[in-house]
Amino acid sequence: MDPIKVKLSTGREIEINDDVIAVLNEYVRTQITLEELAKRLGLSGWEEAYELIKLVPAWIMWTPLPIYKKLA
């Protein structure tokens, strides 16, 4: 499976790798804030985190990392 890259409106391009998927999995299953999500992913703020959430396909965020690794 080719790596998935998401380009934000700020011009920043984010590669969806195992580390990012682990953080996104935690985001959808717990109550971490967009500010915390941005901090963990090295984004500039909650606006970029919100845009990332809108652009990443939902199946990636909800698929557990071990299953995602088997798909790749």
Side-chain angles (χ1 to χ4, degrees), residues 22-62:
V23 174
L24 291 174
N25 280 179
E26 184 179 353
Y27 172 76
V28 297
R29 289 179 172 82
T30 63
Q31 294 182 359
I32 66 171
T33 63
L34 286 172
E35 290 89 4
E36 180 66 24
L37 180 66
K39 182 178 170 184
R40 289 187 186 185
L41 295 178
L43 303 174
S44 65
W46 70 266
E47 295 92 351
E48 279 191 348
Y50 179 70
E51 187 176 358
L52 177 68
I53 293 300
K54 290 191 320 183
L55 294 174
V56 172
W59 70 268
I60 291 176
M61 291 188 281
W62 285 99

